[in-house]
Amino acid sequence: QQQVKQSPQSLIVQKGGISIINCAYENTAFDYFPWYQQFPGKGPALLIAIRPDVSEKKEGRFTISFNKSAKQFSLHIMDSQPGDSATYFCAAGINKLIFGTGTLLAVQP
Amino acid sequence: NAGVTQTPKFQVLKTGQSMTLQCAQDMNHEYMSWYRQDPGMGLRLIHYSVGAGITDQGEVPNGYNVSRSTTEDFPLRLLSAAPSQTSVYFCASSYAVVLGDYGYTFGSGTRLTVV
């Protein structure tokens, strides 16, 4: 019962490059779409979130692109840095969050 | 300003034993939840609570019980531990019952091994 599908499972990017992680959801009632970042041994932390009434939200080097008709949203990390190396989770929900399976990002110096 | 505190950080149980994972938050958050994290499975919701005295099941509730007698505490009970419950458990809380830009605050996790 995977309502939020995330890809790729892992990603290697060179320093300064663009990291792109994609998610697709099934429930059209979902109205909140956050991305979480998790470092080893730590709990996930909110990175950026979007509502379906906008198609894009940018915070610093992090951008969410949202396509309501395709039921897809993605995270773009511009100018990726080694410190961005972590596991990233997308999520979606109404009054509780359903998470994707995670993407392990490695940014090589 | 502790945020969400989970105890213990590590635990080894024998099959059939019971235990309680503790979760406490000091932010006066109404919403609290428990997730388990397994490789390749992401975070799966076990149980959640929208306020004291109110709990509900998530995606994978079997084998777990919860109660919410106070706003601050949301313990997770394993009734009879099984190897399939080996996982990392995260407690999360949120100011708003209806999701918003507040997001979830996660604890640092409890790594549980059932042998």
Side-chain angles (χ1 to χ4, degrees):
Chain A
Q1 187 184 357
Q2 184 61 44
Q3 297 186 52
V4 179
K5 295 183 178 180
Q6 183 172 346
S7 63
Q9 188 173 1
S10 62
L11 181 62
I12 299 174
V13 174
Q14 296 297 314
K15 179 182 176 181
I18 302 173
S19 303
I20 301 174
I21 306 170
N22 301 299
C23 279
Y25 63 98
E26 298 172 1
N27 189 338
T28 55
F30 287 161
D31 65 356
Y32 178 66
F33 303 89
W35 285 89
Y36 281 78
Q37 180 187 55
Q38 184 183 31
F39 293 105
K42 304 292 186 183
L46 179 65
L47 189 61
I48 187 173
I50 198 169
R51 293 271 187 195
D53 53 345
V54 297
S55 60
E56 186 174 282
K57 183 175 182 179
K58 184 176 181 180
E59 290 185 1
R61 296 184 294 108
F62 301 91
T63 300
I64 298 180
S65 296
F66 186 81
N67 186 328
K68 188 174 181 178
S69 61
K71 294 188 288 185
Q72 295 175 347
F73 58 110
S74 60
L75 175 69
H76 295 234
I77 306 174
M78 311 300 288
D79 187 26
S80 298
Q81 299 296 312
D84 297 330
S85 298
T87 299
Y88 292 82
F89 292 97
C90 63
I94 308 169
N95 59 357
K96 58 183 184 290
L97 283 180
I98 304 299
F99 283 81
T101 51
T103 296
L104 179 61
L105 172 65
V107 181
Q108 295 185 336
Chain B
N1 191 14
V4 177
T5 302
Q6 289 185 238
T7 56
K9 293 190 181 299
F10 302 94
Q11 183 70 48
V12 178
L13 285 180
K14 293 182 179 179
T15 298
Q17 286 185 318
S18 63
M19 79 160 293
T20 299
L21 279 62
Q22 302 291 342
C23 175
Q25 52 90 9
D26 61 357
M27 299 170 285
N28 201 31
H29 284 177
E30 288 295 324
Y31 180 92
M32 297 186 73
S33 57
W34 277 100
Y35 286 85
R36 60 177 289 174
Q37 183 174 14
D38 303 289
M41 305 288 286
L43 292 150
R44 292 182 291 170
L45 181 63
I46 304 172
H47 286 284
Y48 66 100
S49 169
V50 298
I54 306 170
T55 63
D56 205 348
Q57 296 181 350
E59 302 168 85
V60 288
N62 292 340
Y64 307 95
N65 270 358
V66 292
S67 61
R68 184 100 178 266
S69 56
T70 67
T71 299
E72 294 78 20
D73 300 298
F74 190 43
L76 178 72
R77 298 181 185 84
L78 279 68
L79 309 174
S80 178
S84 61
Q85 294 179 304
T86 294
S87 186
V88 180
Y89 291 84
F90 286 100
C91 178
S93 72
S94 178
Y95 177 76
V97 172
V98 177
L99 293 171
D101 290 337
Y102 306 106
Y104 283 13
T105 300
F106 280 85
S108 57
T110 294
R111 184 174 295 274
L112 175 68
T113 302
V114 182
V115 298

